[in-house]
Amino acid sequence: MIRIGTVGTHWITQQLVEALALSQQYELAAVYSRHDQTAQAFAAKNHAQASYTDYATMLNDANLDVVYLASPNSLHFQQALAAIRHDISVIVEKPAVSNQGEMTALMAELAKHPHVRLLEAARNVHTPNFHALEKAVAALPTVQGATLTYMKYSSRYDNVLAGERPNVFTKEFSGGALQDLGVYPIYLAVALFGQPANVAYFPTLVATGADGKGIAILRYGDFDVTVNFGKTSNAYAWSEIYGLKETLALDSAGELTQVKAYAADGTAADLTQPDLPNPMLPEVTDFARLLQDPDDAQNAADYRRWLRWSQQVNQVLYDLRVSANLYFPADEN
Ligand SMILES: NC(=O)c1ccc[n+]([C@@H]2O[C@H](COP(=O)([O-])OP(=O)(O)OC[C@H]3O[C@@H](n4cnc5c(N)ncnc54)[C@H](OP(=O)(O)O)[C@@H]3O)[C@@H](O)[C@H]2O)c1
C-alpha cells in the first residue's frame, strides 16, 4: 500500500480520498490542515492514521511515500519542493506551479532525488475517454484545428460580485480562469498536438484583477487551436477537432464525459467509454502503478510523458499570461 498524506481540506481533497479508497492501493497515513479542528475532523471522517497542523512535521514524522497537494496554486511550489527534499513523491493539483522559474527549480531538485516522482493531477488526460480520443486523433488523415471549450460558473464568482477576494480569483494566489479551468483544455491540446509554436491570450478581467474568462489561441505549424474557458459563465457548446471530412466531438474539454467521431459521410459513432465512479479514479490508478513499479518500462515511459506534458503546459500557461500582460506576485521571485 502507498502511504499518502494530504494538504487542503476542501471538496477536491475529499473527492481524491474517495478515489484512493476505490483504487484500494493507498492508505491515508496523514492529513494536514492549518487548523487542528479541521485536520482532526477530516482525518476522522476519512479514517486517516494521523493529522497535523504543521506541514514540515507531517513530512518528517508520517513516513509518507507521497503527498497530495490541493492548496491554493501559489503554495504548490514551496510545498512540493519541501516534499521532494524529504524524498517524498508529490501529486500536485493543477496547475503544478505558478511559472516556469518554479518548474525549473522543481526539476533541479528532482534530479537530486532520483526516486521521487512529481505528478500533476490533470484528471482529464488520464481518463479512458481521453485514450479513446487520442486513438481517434491519431487515425485522422490530417488535423486542421480544434475549438476547445470549458466554462462553468463558479459559486466563488458570487463572492467576487459581493466585493470579496476568494483565493481562486486572485493573482496573489496565482488564480484566475486560465490557471483554473483553462488548464484542462490546454492539457488536452498539449497532450494531443504537442507544444504550440506561438500563443496569445485575450482575458476578460474581473474586479479582483484576475481573469474571469478568456480566449486563448494556440498556433501550431499548420493549424490553430482556439480555447474558450471561464468561471463567470456557463458554456454548453461541444468541443471539436477537425480532420479533413471527419470531425471529433467532445461534450466538454474539461469533463470529457462523451466523445463522438463523425465520419466523412456525417454519420456519428459514439466512442464514449463507461462512466467513472469517481472522476479522479483513473489518475490515482495510473499514479499507483507508477509509484509501486517505477522501473517497469511502460510505467517509466508514461512518467516521462506526464512530466513532459506538465512542463509544456506550464510553459504555455506562462506564455499565455505574458502575452496578456497578466503577472502574479509569484513571478517576482
Ligand atoms: N482536479 C480538480 O478537479 C480540481 C478541482 C478543484 C480544485 N482543484 C485544484 O485544487 C487546488 C485547491 O483548490 P481549492 O479551490 O480547493 O482552493 P482553496 O479552497 O482556496 O484552498 C484549498 C485548501 O487550502 C487551504 N487554504 C485555503 N486558503 C489558504 C491560505 N490562505 N493559506 C494556506 N492554505 C490555505 C485550506 O485548507 P485548510 O484550511 O485545511 O488548511 C483549503 O481547504 C487548486 O490548485 C485547484 O486548481 C482541482
Side-chain angles (χ1 to χ4, degrees):
M1 296 288 263
I2 300 162
R3 289 178 62 80
I4 190 166
T6 59
V7 173
T9 49
H10 201 212
W11 67 267
I12 191 62
T13 309
Q14 184 61 40
Q15 189 173 76
L16 180 279
V17 164
E18 288 164 17
L20 299 177
L22 283 172
S23 82
Q24 301 185 337
Q25 294 175 88
Y26 297 80
E27 55 185 304
L28 186 56
V31 306
Y32 160 81
S33 167
R34 294 164 300 166
H35 311 290
D36 196 34
Q37 214 179 347
T38 321
Q40 285 194 29
F42 193 87
K45 179 175 178 190
N46 295 294
H47 313 291
Q49 293 164 7
S51 66
Y52 294 86
T53 53
D54 184 73
Y55 180 59
T57 307
M58 178 171 84
L59 296 182
N60 280 322
D61 294 358
N63 192 23
L64 300 178
D65 299 309
V66 61
V67 70
Y68 167 72
L69 303 177
S71 48
N73 300 337
S74 61
L75 306 184
H76 293 176
F77 169 62
Q78 285 298 345
Q79 290 171 338
L81 192 66
I84 296 169
R85 286 181 173 157
H86 280 78
D87 270 317
I88 296 170
S89 290
V90 178
I91 299 173
V92 57
E93 265 305 337
K94 38 53 66 180
V97 287
S98 297
N99 54 50
Q100 280 311 101
E102 293 184 353
M103 181 57 87
T104 303
L106 289 189
M107 296 307 294
E109 202 59 35
L110 280 175
K112 295 185 211 161
H113 299 267
H115 299 300
V116 172
R117 299 289 175 268
L118 176 67
L119 301 159
E120 188 170 15
R123 59 178 162 69
N124 59 342
V125 293
H126 290 274
T127 59
N129 280 341
F130 170 74
H131 297 308
L133 180 65
E134 198 178 25
K135 223 186 265 177
V137 169
L140 290 173
T142 184
V143 173
Q144 297 196 76
T147 60
L148 304 177
T149 300
Y150 190 34
M151 198 180 310
K152 277 199 306 194
Y153 188 90
S154 164
S155 58
R156 282 152 173 185
Y157 189 50
D158 289 339
N159 300 84
V160 174
L161 292 175
E164 296 165 25
R165 298 180 59 81
N167 298 344
V168 73
F169 278 105
T170 69
K171 295 198 258 189
E172 292 81 350
F173 285 100
S174 305
L178 173 63
Q179 299 288 114
D180 191 17
L181 299 192
V183 173
Y184 295 103
I186 287 166
Y187 242 98
L188 217 52
V190 165
L192 292 173
F193 311 125
Q195 190 157 9
N198 290 294
V199 301
Y201 183 36
F202 305 93
T204 304
L205 303 185
V206 296
T208 56
D211 50 328
K213 64 193 288 295
I215 291 172
I217 313 278
L218 313 184
R219 307 218 70 179
Y220 288 84
D222 41 14
F223 62 88
D224 295 335
V225 175
T226 309
V227 191
N228 183 19
F229 52 84
K231 291 176 67 66
T232 60
S233 195
N234 290 306
Y236 300 95
W238 281 53
S239 297
E240 291 184 326
I241 297 170
Y242 307 108
L244 198 54
K245 293 177 181 168
E246 311 78 1
T247 298
L248 303 174
L250 29 149
D251 62 333
S252 154
E255 307 300 335
L256 206 58
T257 47
Q258 290 183 70
V259 186
K260 283 187 207 172
Y262 290 91
D265 65 1
T267 53
D270 191 357
L271 305 184
T272 305
Q273 303 299 300
D275 279 353
L276 297 168
N278 179 312
M280 300 180 88
L281 184 57
E283 61 187 310
V284 303
T285 306
D286 270 351
F287 298 158
R289 76 178 155 80
L290 172 71
L291 294 170
Q292 281 166 333
D293 193 359
D295 297 327
D296 171 81
Q298 184 61 53
N299 294 347
D302 283 342
Y303 177 56
R304 283 194 296 276
R305 191 160 98 116
W306 299 334
L307 198 56
R308 188 178 67 242
W309 287 348
S310 195
Q311 291 171 274
Q312 291 178 336
V313 165
N314 281 286
Q315 180 75 55
V316 171
L317 294 175
Y318 183 68
D319 292 345
L320 285 167
R321 285 199 294 113
V322 169
S323 80
N325 219 9
L326 193 57
Y327 292 97
F328 296 147
D331 299 331
E332 286 159 23
N333 298 328

